[in-house]
Amino acid sequence: MSTQEHALYYSDALIENLQMRWGAGFMSPGGADELVHMLRGVQVRGARLLDFGCGIGGYDALLAEVHDAAHVTGVDIDGASLAQAEERRVRRGLQDRLRFRQVTPGPLAFEDGSFDIVFSKDSIVDLPEKAPVFAEFHRLLAPGGHVVVGDWFRGAAPFTPEMRAWATDGNETYEMDTLDSAAAALRAAGFVSVETEDRNAWFREYARDEYERLKGPLYQVYVDRFGAAQARTSVENARVRALLADQGQLRPGHIRGRKP
Ligand SMILES: C[S@@+](CC[C@H](N)C(=O)[O-])C[C@H]1O[C@@H](n2cnc3c(N)ncnc32)[C@H](O)[C@@H]1O
C-alpha cells in the first residue's frame, strides 16, 4: 500500500470503525493491556519517547499518564489522525508531555540521540523497506536506549490461499516480515539484546472475540453508523483475521532491543 493510498485509507469513518472495536484512541488491537505487555522490562518512567506511526495518539496518552514517560513525541504521515491525537492531547491536559508531528517517509528531523525509547505499534508493517527505518531508530536513540516494536508478522510457512488473498490481493496489502526476520533486521541496524515475543496465542482469542462481537452485539451499531454493506465487510474482515490467526499465518508479535 503506498503512503498516498494509506492517507486515504484511514478515513475518519475507518478510524471510528476501528476504535469501536479496539477502544477509544487505538487503531490497533490490544489497547492498555497490550501496551503493558510490549513494555515489559523497559523503564518508561522519566524517559523521552518517540512513537513512530502514532495514529490518533491513544497509546501516547497512556505512555504519559499511566507509564509516566517524561515526554512523548508522536510522528505520523497522516494529518487527519494527528488532528485527533492533538485533540486528545489538549482534552487530557497533556500539552507539556506530548507533541505530535506530521512527517514524510524518510529521515526524521530530530537530532541524533534525542530519545531514550523508540516505540512503534502496528505501523512498520506498512513499510516496504524496514532497514532504513530501523537505522533511523538507532540514530535517534541515546546510547543505552531501547527500541520497542509491536507489529503484525507472518508465519514462516508458505501463505495459505486465504492469507495470500488477505495480505497481497485484497484491499488490505501488507508488507509482512516474520518476527525472526524483523529481529535480524534490528540486529543488522546495530541493536543488541534483541528479544522477540510471538503473540499469536493471545491474538487468536482476541480475534475470535472481536469476530463474535462484530457479528453479534456490535452488528446493528455498525449498520446504523456505517451502513449494512460496511457492517458486513467489517464482520467478514474480522472472520478472516480470526481464521488466519488460527492457521498460524497471522502472528502479531513484539520485539525489544537496546542500542549499545
Ligand atoms: C495501524 S495504524 C497504528 C496507529 C497507532 N500506532 C495505533 O496502534 O493506534 C498505522 C499508522 O502508521 C502510520 N504510518 C504509515 N507509514 C508511516 C511512515 N512512513 N511514517 C510514519 N507513520 C506512518 C499510518 O498513517 C497509521 O497512522
Side-chain angles (χ1 to χ4, degrees), residues 47-59:
R48 300 162 299 165
L49 276 87
L50 175 72
D51 179 5
F52 180 83
C54 63
I56 54 180
Y59 289 102

Side-chain angles (χ1 to χ4, degrees), residues 6 10 25-28 52-55 59 75-78 81 103 105 121-123 126-127:
H6 203 110
Y10 287 111
F26 307 124
M27 292 166 69
S28 65
F52 180 83
C54 63
Y59 289 102
V75 297
D76 204 290
I77 55 172
D78 183 25
S81 299
V103 296
K121 179 146 185 356
D122 295 16
S123 301
D126 288 320
L127 308 177

Side-chain angles (χ1 to χ4, degrees), residues 101-225:
R101 295 280 181 272
Q102 187 164 13
V103 296
T104 49
L108 296 167
F110 302 109
E111 299 288 319
D112 294 5
S114 320
F115 299 99
D116 305 306
I117 299 171
V118 174
F119 171 90
S120 182
K121 179 146 185 356
D122 295 16
S123 301
I124 293 175
V125 68
D126 288 320
L127 308 177
E129 291 284 333
K130 328 277 186 207
V133 178
F134 290 160
E136 191 64 352
F137 288 179
H138 193 268
R139 178 185 76 76
L140 293 171
L141 279 170
H146 291 268
V147 62
V148 179
V149 170
D151 224 317
W152 306 77
F153 298 100
R154 53 170 293 183
F159 276 0
T160 58
E162 293 86 357
M163 181 68 172
R164 186 168 306 107
W166 180 79
T168 62
D169 300 336
N171 291 327
E172 304 184 66
T173 300
Y174 294 121
E175 308 287 345
M176 301 187 89
D177 264 338
T178 63
L179 189 54
D180 285 348
S181 62
L186 270 186
R187 286 188 192 97
F191 287 97
V192 297
S193 306
V194 175
E195 52 180 58
T196 60
E197 188 171 359
D198 183 308
R199 298 288 286 150
N200 175 262
W202 162 77
F203 186 66
R204 285 178 67 175
E205 270 189 46
Y206 190 100
R208 179 66 48 196
D209 177 67
E210 180 184 329
Y211 173 48
E212 295 297 334
R213 284 188 294 125
L214 276 171
K215 69 175 179 167
L218 281 179
Y219 187 71
Q220 195 55 46
V221 182
Y222 270 62
V223 171
D224 293 345
R225 179 63 191 88

Side-chain angles (χ1 to χ4, degrees), residues 34-75:
E34 192 60 359
L35 180 63
V36 169
H37 214 101
M38 281 180 73
L39 294 171
R40 286 211 298 210
V42 177
Q43 175 65 260
V44 177
R45 175 163 298 131
R48 300 162 299 165
L49 276 87
L50 175 72
D51 179 5
F52 180 83
C54 63
I56 54 180
Y59 289 102
D60 307 304
L62 289 175
L63 286 164
E65 286 175 334
V66 176
H67 296 275
D68 225 5
H71 196 271
V72 184
T73 300
V75 297

